[in-house]
Amino acid sequence: MAQLDDLKIRKLRRGEIAGEFATAFSALALIWFIVGFSVYSVKHIAALGTAVWSSAPPLLVIGVAAAAFCNLKYGGALDREVKDYVTAALVENARALHPEKKSLSFYITPMQSSVELSVNDFKEKIVFDFSALGKLTGMRKLSVVDAVERSLSHAFIRLAERGEEFTSVSYTEVNPAGKRRKAVPVITGGVPDKKALKEYYKNR
């Protein structure tokens, strides 16, 4: 059964958190430079000016470099783990996507530590378990929902390329209370949506 590797995710999360600390460190270095230089400009305290110029720029460079490194090494790897897991889960649950139907409306609902996917009026759901990432909040929730949407869109465009015929395919984000956002088209009138097709060719 497809699932995220808890140990690997924890390691990547630690690296990602280190990057967040590095970003915060960079922000503090910038604040130190702005405040220190402003006080120096008004008070003309030579020692303060020297301290600001000698410490703030190197600290800012170190913080920015560390944040960029962590984001590249850990953030990117974490996104790939999520993408691979979502793709594997969709393949594993292909029948629950009901590709035999010509018109498909998918509903994507983010929960506290998972994302649920259902289609049309079928009661069955595919549940993507993201508990290894902790509680889904803010940007993390956006990123996992985006991974589900992209993988779903790419799967049906790929099927269309292979000769499968669909009248329409779309997905809609639904909050836990049941409120739906505007449907996003993947295939309309038997033809892949231009934006979805462009995204597919760009990322396949």
Side-chain angles (χ1 to χ4, degrees), residues 111-161:
M111 310 299 283
Q112 285 194 346
S113 59
S114 64
V115 173
E116 296 180 352
L117 175 67
S118 59
V119 57
N120 294 359
D121 296 322
F122 293 102
K123 292 183 179 180
E124 60 194 318
K125 295 179 180 179
I126 298 175
V127 179
F128 301 92
D129 181 9
F130 294 110
S131 56
L133 299 172
K135 185 179 179 180
L136 299 179
T137 57
M139 292 302 295
R140 179 65 66 205
K141 183 178 291 187
L142 290 175
S143 69
V144 298
V145 168
D146 182 66
V148 173
E149 292 173 348
R150 288 185 184 218
S151 294
L152 183 67
S153 177
H154 292 181
F156 278 91
I157 290 178
R158 192 177 298 113
L159 286 172
E161 280 190 331

Side-chain angles (χ1 to χ4, degrees), residues 90 92-100 104 106 117-119 122 124-126:
L90 287 178
E92 203 172 76
N93 294 278
R95 290 182 63 184
L97 298 176
H98 290 281
E100 75 281 0
L104 296 162
F106 289 94
L117 175 67
S118 59
V119 57
F122 293 102
E124 60 194 318
K125 295 179 180 179
I126 298 175

Side-chain angles (χ1 to χ4, degrees), residues 33-180:
F33 177 78
I34 294 171
V35 173
F37 187 74
S38 297
V39 173
Y40 166 72
S41 299
V42 174
K43 301 292 185 179
H44 301 290
I45 303 172
L48 177 61
T50 301
V52 170
W53 280 107
S54 63
S55 63
L59 290 174
L60 184 59
V61 169
I62 291 170
V64 169
F69 172 79
C70 289
N71 183 60
L72 182 64
K73 182 175 182 178
Y74 300 106
L78 192 57
D79 289 341
R80 286 192 294 275
E81 286 293 316
V82 168
K83 177 185 174 182
D84 290 346
Y85 161 62
V86 170
T87 300
L90 287 178
V91 171
E92 203 172 76
N93 294 278
R95 290 182 63 184
L97 298 176
H98 290 281
E100 75 281 0
K101 300 294 182 182
K102 300 303 180 184
S103 181
L104 296 162
S105 297
F106 289 94
Y107 303 100
I108 300 169
T109 306
M111 310 299 283
Q112 285 194 346
S113 59
S114 64
V115 173
E116 296 180 352
L117 175 67
S118 59
V119 57
N120 294 359
D121 296 322
F122 293 102
K123 292 183 179 180
E124 60 194 318
K125 295 179 180 179
I126 298 175
V127 179
F128 301 92
D129 181 9
F130 294 110
S131 56
L133 299 172
K135 185 179 179 180
L136 299 179
T137 57
M139 292 302 295
R140 179 65 66 205
K141 183 178 291 187
L142 290 175
S143 69
V144 298
V145 168
D146 182 66
V148 173
E149 292 173 348
R150 288 185 184 218
S151 294
L152 183 67
S153 177
H154 292 181
F156 278 91
I157 290 178
R158 192 177 298 113
L159 286 172
E161 280 190 331
R162 293 174 181 174
E164 297 291 337
E165 296 182 1
F166 300 100
T167 304
S168 67
V169 178
S170 66
Y171 60 82
T172 303
E173 287 184 33
V174 184
N175 68 23
K179 185 176 181 180
R180 298 178 180 179

Side-chain angles (χ1 to χ4, degrees), residues 83 150 154 195-204:
K83 177 185 174 182
R150 288 185 184 218
H154 292 181
K195 185 176 180 180
L197 190 61
K198 182 179 179 180
E199 180 66 28
Y200 169 72
Y201 284 130
K202 180 181 177 181
N203 292 281
R204 69 174 180 174

